Amino acid sequence: MVAPDYVSPQEALSVIQSNTRIFVHGSAQTPVVLLQHLAKEAHRLEHVEVVSITVYGDIQIDKPAYKDNFHINSLFVSAAVREAVNDGWADYVPVFLSEIPLLFKRNVLPIDVAMVQVSPPDAHGYCSLGLSVDIARTAVNVARLVIAQVNPNV
């Protein structure tokens, strides 16, 4: 097996530009470290749409200071984004979980970048999406780019 090519969060996130739509892996698989580093990139970004279902942890981009940089488009309102949705600077789109992959596949919500958290690669180079595969598999399949936070605990 060829050794994986790991890069810093800053280098991985450098491909994200303004006016990009990012899918963020949710629940136990929320890539918190990548999201915190993405917040540090806010100075160079505008109108980045962040699509997710449940996200857990201190994701930073849900803070009012980032509302001009990141637009949260939540398909399920979790605690991390509830205040932003309630304050009106993030959106909630009610949709059945089973229909979200169709939104991605049919380009209703085309995904530019899928940001996920995965296991280290196995002997064949495959990674697991872990506990929260749900809509993440489709997002990874249709995204133009995939940025993965590798976590040995996945």
Side-chain angles (χ1 to χ4, degrees), residues 6 25-34 115-122 126-133 136 148-154:
Y6 295 109
H25 205 172
S27 299
Q29 298 303 115
T30 304
V32 174
V33 171
L34 285 175
M115 190 180 301
V116 296
Q117 183 172 195
V118 300
S119 69
D122 66 13
Y126 292 102
C127 298
S128 171
L129 288 167
L131 297 171
S132 301
V133 177
Q149 176 181 312
V150 177
N151 181 344
N153 294 316
V154 172

Side-chain angles (χ1 to χ4, degrees), residues 23-26 29 53 97 100-102 104-105 111 114-118 125-146:
F23 165 80
V24 174
H25 205 172
Q29 298 303 115
I53 53 173
L97 181 64
I100 296 171
L102 294 175
F104 298 159
K105 287 178 187 177
I111 304 299
M115 190 180 301
V116 296
Q117 183 172 195
V118 300
Y126 292 102
C127 298
S128 171
L129 288 167
L131 297 171
S132 301
V133 177
D134 46 54
I135 64 172
R137 177 65 187 189
T138 301
V140 166
N141 286 347
V142 302
R144 192 172 44 85
L145 296 167
V146 178

Side-chain angles (χ1 to χ4, degrees), residues 94-111:
V95 62
F96 290 114
L97 181 64
S98 62
E99 293 180 356
I100 296 171
L102 294 175
L103 297 177
F104 298 159
K105 287 178 187 177
R106 293 179 178 164
N107 279 327
V108 174
L109 278 176
I111 304 299

Side-chain angles (χ1 to χ4, degrees), residues 53-70:
I53 53 173
T54 57
V55 287
Y56 295 157
D58 184 11
I59 64 170
Q60 290 298 306
I61 63 168
D62 62 329
K63 308 289 187 270
Y66 300 109
K67 68 181 179 182
D68 293 331
N69 309 94
F70 305 107

Side-chain angles (χ1 to χ4, degrees), residues 34-50:
L34 285 175
L35 289 168
Q36 291 174 346
H37 281 276
L38 184 62
K40 294 176 185 176
E41 299 290 319
H43 65 279
R44 65 174 187 82
L45 298 170
E46 294 180 319
H47 311 294
V48 173
E49 181 180 349
V50 178

